[in-house]
Amino acid sequence: MTTATKEKTDIAVLKQFIGGEWVEGTGTREIKSVNPSDSREVVATCKGASKEDVQKALAAAQEAYKGWKATPAPARARVLDKVVALARQNKERLARILAREEGKILPEALGEMEKGINLLEWFAGEGLRFMGTTAPSELPKNLLYTVREPLGVVSIITPWNFPWAIPCWKIAPALVAGNAVIFKPASNTPWLASELVKLFDEAGLPKGVLSFIVGAGSEVGDSLVEDDRVKAVSFTGSNQIGVRVHTICGKRGIPVTCEMGGKNPCIVWKDADLDLALAGVVKGAFGSTGQRCTATSRLILHEDIADEFLKKVVDAANAMKIGPALEEGIGLGPAVDQGQLDTDLDYIKIARDEGAKIVCGGNRVEDGDLKFGYFVEPTIFDHCTPKMKIAQEEVFGPVLAVFRVKTLEQAIEYANDTVFGLTCAIYTQDITTAMTYMEESEVGMFHINSPTIGGEAQVPFGGVKGSAVGDKEMAKEGINFFSKSKTIFLDFTGKKRESNIY
Ligand code: UN1
C-alpha cells in the first residue's frame, strides 16, 4: 500500500447534530465507516441515533422552523453564500475525505466537490428569485398574485455514491425555501456528510434548522418518513427503498421525490467520431467505478463499426490502472463495500451463465494489498440480448453490456426496453439520427455526443419510468418541490362589488 493511502489514520469520531448541538447517538448500532480501498482502515465511527434522537431532532426542527420561515429568503440565501466560501476553502481536504470514505478516485472526488459547490451557488441565487407571479384579474382594482412558501420540516435521505453533491442539491433548496431539514446520509459515508453539516453550522445557520441523523435505516428511517411533523421527503437511493418511501408518503398525502436506478444506454452510430465516443463510453461506464445512477451500462453499436469500436473500448478498459482512490494515476477505484463487490461479481456470473460473451475483465483484483480493498476489473460483455438480466437490472459497478444492431429502429427499441428511464446518449454526426432518437427516447435526460453521466445545477435532473417518482431536482424544479404557492386576491375597490360572478 502506498503512503498516499496511509497518509492519515486518525479515526474521526462522529456525532449526531440535533437542535444545534453535536451529541452522541443513543441508538443500538455502532456505525463504522471503512476505507473501500483498504478495509483494514476504519476512517470514522459513530454511535447510531435512536428513535428518541429523531424525536428530539423533529421537535427542534419544528420549533426552529418558525424563525427560519420568517427570515427573508435573501437572508436565508446568504447563509448558503457563506457555505460556498467555506466549501471552497476546504475543497482539497473534503475531497480527500470523500476519496478515503467512499473510494472515489481523487480527481473525481474533486469534481464532485465542484459540482456540489455549483449547486450551492445556484440555490443561493434562488434566494433572490424566490418569487411568485402577478396576473391580471377579471375584476377592476383587484391585485391577483402568488407567493411561494416553505412546507415545514422536511426529511432528506441520501445515498453513499455522491455523499457531497446529492446532499448539497437537496439541502440547499430546502433551506433557501425556508424549511427546517432533517438530513440522514447513508451509514457507510457519514463522515463527509457531517463535514457538510459543520459548514452550515459555521456559516451561522440558526440552531435546529438543520439536524443530522446517522443510524440504521431500520432504527431511524421510518420516523423520518412517517412522523406527522415531516411535510415532505426527498430521497435518492435504491428502487426497493424508494418505492417504500413513496408508498408511505403517498398514504400520508405529502410531497415526495425519489431518484432511483438507471440502466442507461449509449448508442454509437456508424458515422460517429469514434475517439469522441470512446472517451464518453469509458467515462460513462467505468467512471466512479460505475457507481452512479447515470452510468452507461448498455452500449448499443451499429454493426458496421461494432468490432472496431469494441476493440478500442476493451483496450482502454484493459489499460485502466486499478488501485487505491488516493494514489496518483489511478483510473478505477474500488467498489464501496463488500456487499457492492459481491453484487458486481454476482452479475458477472449471471451474465456468463446467460451466455453473454465476456471480452474483458470479470474478476476481483487481489494483487498485493489490493486484496484488502473491494476492487473489480472493468468488465465488458459482448453479444448481449435485451431480455438478459445483465441487460435489464442495475449492477452499480463497472460492468458494461454490449448489443449489436443493424437499424436505428432496432437501436431505439433496445434502448427503451427497460423499466428504467433516467438518461441515455447517442454518438453520431448526423442531426437527423440524433433527433429521431431524442424524440423516441424514454428518459429524463438525453445526451448527444456526450456521456450519459452528469447534470448541471441550472437544468432539471431526474428520470422517468422506474427511475423516479415525484418532481425532478435541481433548477427551479428543485426549489419548487420544497415550497408551495399561495394565491392572493386583493380587492382594493373599497366598496361592494356590482357583480358576483367571480
Ligand atoms: C452524475 O451523474 O453526475 O445517484 C450525478 C446517482 C445520481 C447522481 C448522478 N443521483 O448516481
Side-chain angles (χ1 to χ4, degrees):
M1 190 60 62
T2 63
T3 47
T5 318
K6 288 279 176 209
E7 63 174 19
K8 186 98 181 69
T9 49
D10 298 345
I11 299 178
V13 180
L14 311 179
K15 294 197 167 164
Q16 317 286 330
F17 191 59
I18 298 174
E21 308 294 335
W22 291 96
V23 294
E24 188 138 298
T26 61
T28 52
R29 174 111 169 251
E30 181 73 29
I31 309 279
K32 259 195 194 137
S33 172
V34 167
N35 182 351
S37 300
D38 184 343
S39 62
R40 293 171 298 179
E41 188 196 350
V42 174
V43 298
T45 60
C46 181
K47 265 204 101 231
S50 64
K51 282 197 174 32
E52 291 68 47
D53 295 332
V54 177
Q55 291 302 313
K56 282 185 192 152
L58 286 166
Q62 183 92 326
E63 192 51 37
Y65 170 61
K66 296 174 204 154
W68 188 239
K69 180 187 177 193
T71 305
R76 296 194 296 249
R78 248 161 245 134
V79 176
L80 258 71
D81 284 335
K82 290 197 188 124
V83 176
V84 169
L86 291 168
R88 284 206 194 289
Q89 282 163 24
N90 286 278
K91 187 175 151 181
E92 290 280 333
R93 179 180 69 82
L94 296 175
R96 298 186 91 81
I97 293 178
L98 172 47
R100 274 180 77 206
E101 187 178 48
E102 198 268 355
K104 197 166 282 192
I105 59 171
L106 192 55
E108 289 179 337
L110 285 162
E112 181 177 341
M113 289 305 304
E114 204 47 56
K115 179 169 182 161
I117 292 169
N118 291 345
L119 282 146
L120 290 165
E121 278 178 324
W122 165 268
F123 284 117
E126 284 296 280
L128 301 171
R129 295 185 292 263
F130 192 55
M131 56 182 88
T133 53
T134 57
S137 172
E138 294 280 358
L139 302 168
K141 296 191 185 302
N142 265 252
L143 177 57
L144 199 49
Y145 72 103
T146 67
V147 291
R148 294 207 73 86
E149 293 185 340
L151 304 175
V153 177
V154 300
S155 291
I156 288 179
I157 304 171
T158 58
W160 49 264
N161 67 326
F162 280 86
W164 168 261
I166 294 179
C168 284
W169 87 51
K170 291 180 190 287
I171 293 172
L175 290 180
V176 164
N179 302 281
V181 172
I182 313 284
F183 166 39
K184 182 192 144 347
S187 32
N188 47 357
T189 52
W191 186 12
L192 186 62
S194 93
E195 292 292 324
L196 174 62
V197 174
K198 277 187 195 162
L199 298 190
F200 277 102
D201 189 27
E202 211 180 318
L205 192 69
K207 280 181 190 300
V209 172
L210 173 62
S211 289
F212 172 70
I213 293 289
V214 187
S218 52
E219 204 158 353
V220 298
D222 285 353
S223 338
L224 293 179
V225 181
E226 283 170 354
D227 194 282
D228 278 350
R229 286 164 290 191
V230 173
K231 300 297 186 232
V233 178
S234 179
F235 167 90
T236 297
S238 70
N239 275 68
Q240 196 198 352
I241 299 181
V243 166
R244 187 153 172 265
V245 167
H246 182 243
T247 306
I248 298 171
C249 293
K251 279 197 186 133
R252 291 193 49 221
I254 61 165
V256 56
T257 181
C258 296
E259 280 299 334
M260 302 178 286
K263 192 73 201 175
N264 312 298
C266 175
I267 297 176
V268 179
W269 211 236
K270 58 186 168 189
D271 61 352
D273 174 332
L274 293 189
D275 288 328
L276 184 70
L278 174 67
V281 168
V282 170
K283 200 163 179 214
F286 306 128
S288 308
T289 317
Q291 300 178 134
R292 56 211 287 177
C293 56
T294 52
T296 305
S297 53
R298 294 181 296 146
L299 176 61
I300 301 172
L301 301 178
H302 188 280
E303 62 175 4
D304 288 0
I305 50 92
D307 286 334
E308 179 192 352
F309 185 69
L310 189 55
K311 184 178 179 321
K312 283 175 187 276
V313 182
V314 168
D315 288 348
N318 283 332
M320 286 183 106
K321 195 164 169 221
I322 302 168
L326 279 167
E327 202 172 294
E328 221 163 284
I330 295 298
L332 192 82
V336 74
D337 59 17
Q338 184 69 48
Q340 185 58 53
L341 175 70
D342 291 345
T343 302
D344 296 352
L345 296 171
D346 282 352
Y347 272 107
I348 290 169
K349 183 174 178 319
I350 290 168
R352 283 183 199 267
D353 293 348
E354 284 179 316
K357 185 173 170 240
I358 192 153
V359 288
C360 107
N363 303 299
R364 181 175 181 175
V365 183
E366 296 183 281
D367 313 330
D369 278 355
L370 294 190
K371 64 176 167 296
F372 298 114
Y374 306 117
F375 297 95
V376 62
E377 291 170 339
T379 301
I380 303 176
F381 286 97
D382 193 7
H383 298 289
C384 295
T385 55
K387 296 298 170 213
M388 288 177 173
K389 276 194 174 175
I390 199 67
Q392 291 292 338
E393 296 180 13
E394 185 177 49
V395 179
F396 226 59
V399 181
L400 182 64
V402 180
F403 307 77
R404 291 156 179 255
V405 293
K406 294 183 198 318
T407 63
L408 188 60
E409 291 67 37
Q410 192 187 11
I412 295 173
E413 191 190 313
Y414 278 26
N416 287 340
D417 187 2
T418 162
V419 295
F420 296 109
L422 186 55
T423 170
C424 68
I426 183 163
Y427 284 85
T428 176
Q429 309 273 13
D430 182 51
I431 195 75
T432 306
T433 303
M435 295 310 277
T436 301
Y437 178 33
M438 192 283 292
E439 285 198 336
E440 299 288 321
S441 64
E442 297 169 358
V443 289
M445 294 173 289
F446 188 89
H447 294 260
I448 302 165
N449 292 330
S450 67
T452 56
I453 54 173
E456 294 197 32
Q458 57 279 24
V459 283
F461 180 95
V464 296
K465 293 163 69 178
S467 289
V469 284
D471 290 6
K472 288 199 174 187
E473 301 191 89
M474 302 189 191
K476 279 276 175 223
E477 281 80 347
I479 202 148
N480 285 350
F481 171 76
F482 286 109
S483 57
K484 56 187 180 296
S485 73
K486 181 180 273 175
T487 306
I488 296 112
F489 301 81
L490 195 168
D491 186 328
F492 54 98
T493 46
K495 56 182 183 199
K496 197 166 162 274
R497 281 185 188 174
E498 306 262 306
S499 145
N500 251 343
I501 54 166
Y502 293 108

